[in-house]
Amino acid sequence: MFRQPKCPVDTPTRVWIEEALVWLARQFGDDQFFAHKIVAPNNDTFPVDDVTGRRSIESIFQSVCALMGVDRAHILLQEIDDAPPLHLVNDDGLAVPTAPAGLYEEHAQGYTIHISRAELIDTLGLIGTLSHEVAHFCLRGEGRIEADTLFCEELLTDLTTVYFGFGVIRAASPREWQSDYSTWPGTDVVRPEYMSIPMYGYALAVLAWLHDDASPGWSRMVRGDVGKYFKPSLRYLGRTNDSGLHAIRDCRTLPEKSGPWIHPGLQEHE
């Protein structure tokens, strides 16, 4: 007798991830949703070895915008000086951010993404930060959500980067603000401000499972601690089909629009 695998992610979290992925597919089109094209952090995608120069940063930014279907000309990119970063770690030895790596701003003249110069020492982190800030533009700037009305905006912004294929890169340097925790509505289950390592692991597993791929080639790029959630999540989905997305996986089409979302803020935008 075989023991059924257990999902390593709590129910409210995985339900939110699945529902939000469907919402994103309706907003941006299901081609990315089903193809789950993962952006590889290599020189074929980002032909830059040194990002300290302005031209290199611009090249990366243009690549990120293109991959996310955004016109680069719509956004001003501005570097900002920060105080020397404090290299703090939490009890698990993981880096604790002490200042925002990037900032998305809307103003009368348009849209600006501010990037800390401290990010330039880490190419992978810079790509991830740029994808997160461009995702803010995709959601706010393009009118898919209203500013300051979504209780899970940073989570949804992170998941948007996963939807566009940046999940492996974002998971390599997640922004976990240890003090910014609340709970999922109607539960006592912790809800982080930004996507956590388990959330990235489950979201990546959902994309692989939707493509019916039990061993995707890109999985070797998944960071070790993320893999501890990615692999059992994919095994769980493959053996149980216990997901609100199983009909989508079988039919390769999105469901008809129906009812309000369980979690507030993710209404349909026409």
Side-chain angles (χ1 to χ4, degrees):
M1 180 177 180
F2 293 98
R3 179 183 299 176
Q4 286 280 47
K6 183 179 179 181
C7 183
V9 178
D10 61 81
T11 298
T13 298
R14 67 188 185 96
V15 168
W16 181 85
I17 288 172
E18 293 179 1
E19 289 194 337
L21 281 172
V22 174
W23 183 86
L24 288 167
R26 287 179 175 148
Q27 294 296 310
F28 297 104
D30 59 14
D31 52 338
Q32 289 280 128
F33 191 59
F34 295 122
H36 72 84
K37 297 177 181 177
I38 301 300
V39 178
N42 57 35
N43 283 349
D44 292 333
T45 310
F46 300 98
V48 177
D49 293 317
D50 178 15
V51 299
T52 57
R54 175 73 197 188
R55 179 179 297 178
S56 297
I57 300 167
E58 176 61 30
S59 175
I60 290 175
F61 187 50
Q62 288 181 7
S63 296
V64 170
C65 287
L67 288 165
M68 298 181 72
V70 170
D71 186 343
R72 161 68 182 91
H74 289 165
I75 306 173
L76 176 65
L77 181 64
Q78 189 173 76
E79 298 170 38
I80 55 176
D81 286 312
D82 288 327
L86 296 175
H87 299 288
L88 304 179
V89 296
N90 60 20
D91 292 340
D92 297 321
L94 299 175
V96 176
T98 56
L103 178 67
Y104 170 75
E105 180 187 14
E106 296 181 0
H107 45 79
Q109 291 73 37
Y111 311 93
T112 299
I113 288 176
H114 305 272
I115 292 294
S116 167
R117 286 200 173 95
E119 286 293 290
L120 305 186
I121 62 174
D122 177 13
T123 304
L124 205 61
L126 175 63
I127 295 169
T129 297
L130 286 171
S131 70
H132 179 88
E133 303 308 328
V134 171
H136 272 302
F137 172 80
C138 292
L139 296 172
R140 281 198 190 190
E142 295 182 343
R144 292 182 171 91
I145 64 172
E146 295 180 7
D148 303 320
T149 61
L150 187 62
F151 87 108
C152 55
E153 180 177 350
E154 293 297 345
L155 283 176
L156 184 61
T157 303
D158 271 346
L159 191 62
T160 301
T161 70
V162 177
Y163 174 82
F164 279 104
F166 287 87
V168 169
I169 293 176
R170 283 292 294 169
S173 54
R175 303 286 292 181
E176 293 197 66
W177 297 84
Q178 299 295 330
S179 62
D180 290 342
Y181 284 90
S182 58
T183 57
W184 292 109
T187 77
D188 58 359
V189 179
V190 169
R191 177 187 68 84
E193 182 73 8
Y194 294 83
M195 279 184 63
S196 63
I197 286 171
M199 292 182 78
Y200 278 114
Y202 188 74
L204 288 168
V206 167
L207 295 183
W209 176 75
L210 283 170
H211 202 64
D212 198 18
D213 192 345
S215 183
W218 49 262
S219 64
R220 65 181 181 275
M221 300 186 295
V222 175
R223 200 173 84 170
D225 50 355
V226 180
K228 291 179 182 179
Y229 294 90
F230 168 75
K231 292 176 181 177
S233 292
L234 185 54
R235 189 181 310 118
Y236 171 81
L237 290 166
R239 291 185 182 177
T240 68
N241 275 336
D242 182 18
S243 166
L245 304 181
H246 62 84
I248 299 173
R249 179 177 181 267
D250 296 340
C251 301
R252 315 300 288 178
T253 57
L254 296 175
E256 294 295 327
K257 299 178 183 180
S258 61
W261 292 90
I262 291 176
H263 303 300
L266 291 185
Q267 283 79 36
E268 298 293 347
H269 287 254
E270 300 296 342

